Amino acid sequence: LTMSSPGSTTSLPSGLSVLTTFPDVLFIPEIIFGGLVWILVASSKVPFPILQGWVMFVSVFCFVMSTSLLCLYICSVHGGSSFWVTLVSGCDKP
């Protein structure tokens, strides 16, 4: 596995080569654990349903964003722009 960083001069991976760089491989466990969180939040019983709705919204939003970004990387929509590295790192911070 290779490392990709915003300051590197190499081009961003595209297609299935996305799954060979270390930061991009982390999308897979992120999607798996995001789905598990989604399931656990949906199946829990809480005294204030509005709180569960907010947590459900955040978990589903992060799950959908992670899946979308992985699909966009695989389809090579980024066009080699380093902006995508910043976008992904920004989405992973919450």
Side-chain angles (χ1 to χ4, degrees):
L1 296 175
T2 59
M3 294 292 289
S4 65
S5 66
S8 66
T9 58
T10 60
S11 64
L12 292 173
S14 59
L16 292 179
S17 64
V18 167
L19 301 177
T20 61
T21 59
F22 181 72
D24 298 328
V25 168
L26 294 178
F27 270 124
I28 296 169
E30 184 177 343
I31 291 171
I32 292 170
F33 288 120
L36 289 174
V37 166
W38 187 16
I39 292 167
L40 291 172
V41 168
S43 65
S44 66
K45 298 203 184 293
V46 294
F48 302 109
I50 191 73
L51 297 177
Q52 184 180 18
W54 176 249
V55 174
M56 189 69 178
F57 167 75
V58 172
S59 65
V60 170
F61 178 77
C62 291
F63 178 78
V64 169
M65 284 301 295
S66 297
T67 306
S68 301
L69 284 172
L70 179 63
C71 291
L72 289 172
Y73 259 94
I74 289 176
C75 294
S76 36
V77 173
H78 55 72
S81 172
S82 62
F83 166 75
W84 285 84
V85 176
T86 307
L87 177 68
V88 170
S89 64
C91 287
D92 290 340
K93 296 298 181 218

